[in-house]
Amino acid sequence: MQKYTALTLAILGASGLTACSTTPATSVAEPVSKAQQLAQKYIIVDTHIDVPYRLHKDWEDVSVATKRGEFDYPRAIQGGLNAPFMSIYIPASYERNGGGYQLANQLIDNMEALVGRSPGKFAMAHDSKDVVAQFGSGKVSLALGMENGTPIEGKLENLQHFYQRGIRYITLAHSESNHIADSSYDIRRKWRGLSPFGKELVTAMNNIGMMIDISHVSDEAFYQTVALSKAPVIASHSSLRSYTPGFERNMDDDMIKALAKNGGVVQINFGSSFVTAMANQYGALRKAAAKQAGVADDDAFELAFRKKHPYPFATLDTVLDHIDHVVKLVGIDYVGIGSDYDGVGDSLPVGLKDVSTYPNLIDGLLKRGYSETDIEKILSGNLLRVWRAVEQYALAQSL
């Protein structure tokens, strides 16, 4: 086991990271007042928060302060979050076993019920105009994105159904390939990109006014999507492969350039395993240690391993590095926020532990020399530009 300690320290040293305790402080130093002011002055859109599935598995009333999770109304207001895209997450097993259509509808029902129970705190956002109109009302606008297109079930009438229910983006696949596209995590590349139906679905999503999300898909599926799509696409919660070599789930520089040429936007995922090589490799180190010890890589082993080899949490600066990289590569107009709160377990960076901490991000951007105009684009302007372009394309097709 000792050699993994040495390996951990070696990689940390090469990456400029620090091994933190397994229960780091909730945030770094209080942000300066200007950052707090900007968090309230500008719309903040976060395109990926996994509240619906969190509540499906472990219900809490998120209209008040909660003991668990990274999102609730008080913390959202504190952080200035105006429009979270609530992830209608469908696990990959539903592609094999069925039931995805049912689960998606239930999760949407739950979000509508949340608004119904707390109409003074939440409102649905069915288009970009709703987000703008509801800004300043004290309400958190809940937009909906479907993570994994399994519930479409190969039927364009289901796309229409979910559009009517408020879904405004679909992540084409998740952790396994489905009937639409190959997944970046799945070594079986059945379709070598998009399936025939997936190609049909891209056009249909353009025509109906639904954003196409290429997070999770294989590289081939990504390039086929941007070639086919007549409207900008998004990566709702992806970070950069240059910081996590070999991790196909993230985007490489050529993909970012192609996304920018398409007019799209990459929304940076905050999870430590998405933004640092050491955290990305931590699971493999643990599995190797379990194999060497001849024991199961179970919860008990993970706990013991973490005591000897603390998880290498990323920091606020690491996330800022990803934003900087996109800006230097393609410009300020193609990057935003897709935190993956409530979706990446306890792997969130020091300083960005929940939805109250967006001012920390803003403070970091200010310290790195970003202007207010730049910051507004990162917080929401770039995503809203894409959303409007998708809406306008669909409107033009209907005339």
Side-chain angles (χ1 to χ4, degrees):
M1 297 290 284
Q2 187 61 39
K3 72 175 184 177
Y4 291 101
T5 301
L7 179 58
T8 298
L9 292 174
I11 299 177
L12 285 172
S15 305
L17 303 175
T18 301
C20 304
S21 68
T22 56
T23 55
T26 299
S27 64
V28 293
E30 287 296 317
V32 297
S33 60
K34 184 173 182 180
Q36 293 172 318
Q37 291 168 0
L38 295 184
Q40 302 300 322
K41 179 179 179 180
Y42 297 120
I43 295 171
I44 297 178
V45 176
D46 188 322
T47 47
H48 199 88
I49 296 184
D50 277 291
V51 168
Y53 198 73
R54 164 194 161 195
L55 300 185
H56 177 71
K57 301 294 288 186
D58 184 19
W59 189 86
E60 291 183 291
D61 182 3
V62 294
S63 70
V64 297
T66 60
K67 296 180 179 179
R68 300 182 294 280
E70 287 98 51
F71 174 95
D72 56 43
Y73 179 79
R75 284 182 284 175
I77 293 299
Q78 180 183 351
L81 176 61
N82 305 108
F85 272 77
M86 293 291 164
S87 174
I88 305 303
Y89 164 59
I90 310 300
S93 60
Y94 282 78
E95 180 79 14
R96 302 188 303 273
N97 303 326
Y101 180 88
Q102 175 76 8
L103 176 58
N105 280 290
Q106 289 175 338
L107 297 180
I108 296 169
D109 285 347
N110 291 344
M111 292 299 97
E112 292 178 342
L114 176 60
V115 172
R117 289 194 306 271
S118 302
K121 296 181 177 180
F122 298 104
M124 300 305 298
H126 292 135
D127 55 38
S128 61
K129 292 180 181 178
D130 285 344
V131 172
V132 175
Q134 289 158 191
F135 178 57
S137 67
K139 298 179 182 181
V140 176
S141 298
L142 304 183
L144 301 177
M146 180 183 289
E147 186 178 22
N148 188 359
T150 281
I152 301 301
E153 296 180 341
K155 304 172 185 176
L156 292 182
E157 56 265 36
N158 285 354
L159 175 67
Q160 178 71 36
H161 167 79
F162 285 116
Y163 181 86
Q164 291 174 341
R165 295 227 57 192
I167 296 294
R168 290 300 176 265
Y169 76 68
I170 294 177
T171 315
L172 299 180
H174 191 250
S175 59
E176 296 177 9
S177 301
N178 60 15
H179 69 284
I180 298 168
D182 289 331
S183 165
S184 62
Y185 287 118
D186 197 335
I187 61 173
R188 302 163 297 172
R189 301 299 164 98
K190 178 178 181 180
W191 306 113
R192 297 188 180 278
L194 296 173
S195 72
F197 176 75
K199 295 175 181 178
E200 185 180 0
L201 184 66
V202 166
T203 298
M205 290 176 69
N206 281 170
N207 291 339
I208 205 172
M210 191 181 292
M211 290 181 284
I212 300 165
D213 177 22
I214 54 75
S215 289
H216 280 284
V217 303
S218 69
D219 288 4
E220 288 179 294
F222 164 79
Y223 282 111
Q224 290 171 19
T225 299
V226 294
L228 285 169
S229 182
K230 303 299 183 182
V233 306
I234 67 170
S236 71
H237 59 306
S238 294
S239 298
L240 310 186
R241 205 178 300 174
S242 58
Y243 294 89
T244 55
F247 186 44
E248 190 178 349
R249 171 66 178 81
N250 275 346
M251 300 184 70
D252 68 21
D253 285 2
D254 287 339
M255 296 170 76
I256 296 165
K257 291 176 182 177
L259 187 73
K261 184 177 180 180
N262 163 268
V265 60
V266 54
Q267 304 284 101
I268 298 299
N269 190 316
F270 292 174
S272 293
S273 65
F274 287 82
V275 296
T276 72
M278 183 57 219
N280 187 261
Q281 297 165 13
Y282 185 81
L285 292 173
R286 189 194 66 242
K287 290 177 182 178
K291 183 177 180 181
Q292 184 187 52
V295 298
D297 181 23
D298 54 17
D299 291 343
F301 181 81
E302 181 177 4
L303 181 62
F305 185 79
R306 281 207 176 200
K307 287 181 179 179
K308 289 188 175 183
H309 317 279
Y311 185 81
F313 288 96
T315 65
L316 169 63
D317 279 329
T318 318
V319 175
L320 292 168
D321 288 344
H322 282 248
I323 294 173
D324 281 351
H325 188 89
V326 177
V327 173
K328 291 174 183 176
L329 187 68
V330 295
I332 191 64
D333 297 318
Y334 308 102
V335 65
I337 300 170
S339 65
D340 216 347
Y341 283 133
D342 281 330
V344 289
D346 66 349
S347 75
L348 290 158
V350 176
L352 292 172
K353 289 297 183 183
D354 61 37
V355 295
S356 72
T357 60
Y358 298 106
N360 291 347
L361 184 73
I362 297 170
D363 187 44
L365 291 169
L366 288 168
K367 288 176 178 177
R368 292 195 179 201
Y370 286 85
S371 68
E372 283 195 31
T373 300
D374 292 341
I375 291 170
E376 182 180 15
K377 287 184 177 184
I378 294 167
L379 296 180
S380 62
N382 293 335
L383 188 282
L384 289 174
R385 170 187 58 79
V386 170
W387 196 352
R388 291 184 186 113
V390 170
E391 292 170 338
Q392 290 165 3
Y393 179 85
L395 178 62
Q397 304 317 297
S398 67
L399 296 179

